[in-house]
Amino acid sequence: MPSTPTIDSAARALAVSQRLLVLSGAGLSAESGIPTFREAQTGLWAQFSPQDLATPEAFAANPERVWAWYRWRRTLIARGGVNAGHRAIAALERHMDVVIATQNVDGLQSTAGSRDVSELHGNIWIDRCSECGDERRQAVAEADEQAPIPTCQSCGAGMRPGVVWFGEMLPMAALERARAELDRCDCVLVVGTSNQVYPAAALVEMAVDGPTPVIEVNPQATAVSPCVDVHIAEAASMALPALVDRLDAMRTAR
Ligand code: OAD
């Protein structure tokens, strides 16, 4: 993608930054073939009901159905892998400290090489015991939707996917870390989130209300778009590599 005025503005903001907070959502992984949640037609919540699949009550009522859905999603993630957007965010570490707080449960940002990722909504590759809380990380691989419900090696109870469901608390350490980083960082990059799910959306709102420059990468406008410093209305896999190229060029020219 050639350099555009918005890429240039964003690159200028990043060039004077030493510490970047990235707030990412499902759009970042969309080009890995992993559906987002709220987009009309293609979004997961246009096809499935969150009440049936992403609540503690749904799991209690029908754990087989919930596991089948999460295993299907594991397969999509294993097939999709990282894309150019994840890689570009990892590459930003060549230029500055980068701290990431993601709503994505796919683990792809860490796979891409990012070293500091807080997973606000958990991780789909973790099985967690419903009783004792013991956790087991699964290898990234296509999953058998019909496999039996995994059982805990410590206490024998059924395991659940290690993600945050509607009505549950976010992992406190991840959320606190993201809040603290809002005060420490000198630039915020918001990528691929509709900014509709709280408390993650509140992080974006706090960023926009604060003094730190905010760059948003999203082909669609969101509620915060009119208030951010730069809105790059492009797909993450196009915009982010272009941003890194621009930063690299600025460094060479210095
Ligand atoms: P959404 O599906 O709500 O929003 C995805 C956003 O990504 C939209 O604003 C799209 O315009 C944008 N988008 C699509 N393709 C893109 C691309 N190639 N590059 C950049 N942006 C793109 O997803 P989230 O905001 O992440 O939570 O959803 C937040 C939470 O809602 C999820 O973590 C999940 C869901 O319910 C739980 O399950 C608890």
Side-chain angles (χ1 to χ4, degrees):
M1 187 173 120
S3 204
T4 65
T6 52
I7 297 281
D8 287 348
S9 305
R12 279 197 297 275
L14 286 174
V16 294
S17 299
Q18 287 170 350
R19 194 170 180 88
L20 173 71
L21 174 63
V22 179
L23 300 172
S24 64
L28 175 60
S29 295
E31 283 155 285
S32 297
I34 301 165
T36 60
F37 291 91
R38 287 179 186 73
E39 287 178 279
Q41 316 292 332
T42 56
L44 289 173
W45 298 152
Q47 303 166 61
F48 304 98
S49 153
Q51 285 76 26
D52 291 344
L53 297 163
T55 65
E57 295 76 20
F59 186 69
N62 196 337
E64 291 83 6
R65 178 170 61 188
V66 171
W67 263 115
W69 192 66
Y70 279 91
R71 284 177 167 140
W72 168 70
R73 289 180 57 199
R74 280 182 177 179
T75 295
L76 295 181
I77 296 162
R79 284 184 190 155
V82 299
N83 67 47
H86 301 112
R87 282 193 208 97
I89 290 173
L92 285 171
E93 290 184 25
R94 291 203 306 265
H95 292 276
M96 63 201 80
D97 294 333
V98 180
V99 178
I100 297 149
T102 186
Q103 295 171 79
N104 297 344
V105 298
D106 52 37
L108 292 174
Q109 194 59 60
S110 299
T111 307
S114 292
R115 290 175 294 181
D116 194 340
V117 183
S118 292
E119 294 175 319
L120 299 170
H121 291 170
N123 186 302
I124 199 169
W125 298 104
I126 291 175
D127 294 353
R128 190 167 72 238
C129 179
S130 309
E131 294 294 329
C132 73
D134 227 31
E135 292 188 342
R136 211 182 320 156
R137 185 174 278 272
Q138 299 300 319
V140 175
E142 295 187 19
D144 174 6
E145 288 174 32
Q146 305 310 323
I149 294 170
T151 50
C152 178
Q153 286 175 349
S154 303
C155 75
M159 309 283 275
R160 54 164 282 179
V163 300
V164 175
W165 283 327
F166 289 100
E168 294 185 322
M169 299 274 288
L170 271 62
M172 204 39 83
L175 188 58
E176 288 303 329
R177 178 76 203 288
R179 284 190 184 129
E181 283 302 328
L182 275 175
D183 294 331
R184 276 188 82 189
C185 69
D186 46 24
C187 193
V188 178
L189 176 62
V190 182
V191 185
T193 174
S194 62
N195 304 318
Q196 289 185 48
V197 174
Y198 289 80
L203 295 169
V204 178
E205 290 170 356
M206 282 187 263
V208 165
D209 289 342
T212 310
V214 179
I215 302 162
E216 183 184 43
V217 176
N218 194 320
Q220 306 296 325
T222 70
V224 301
S225 301
C227 312
V228 300
D229 296 83
V230 186
H231 175 212
I232 305 174
E234 299 285 348
S237 70
M238 301 293 286
L240 295 174
L243 200 46
V244 173
D245 284 352
R246 192 78 194 89
L247 266 179
D248 288 341
M250 285 173 158
R251 176 180 276 182
T252 311
R254 245 186 254 154

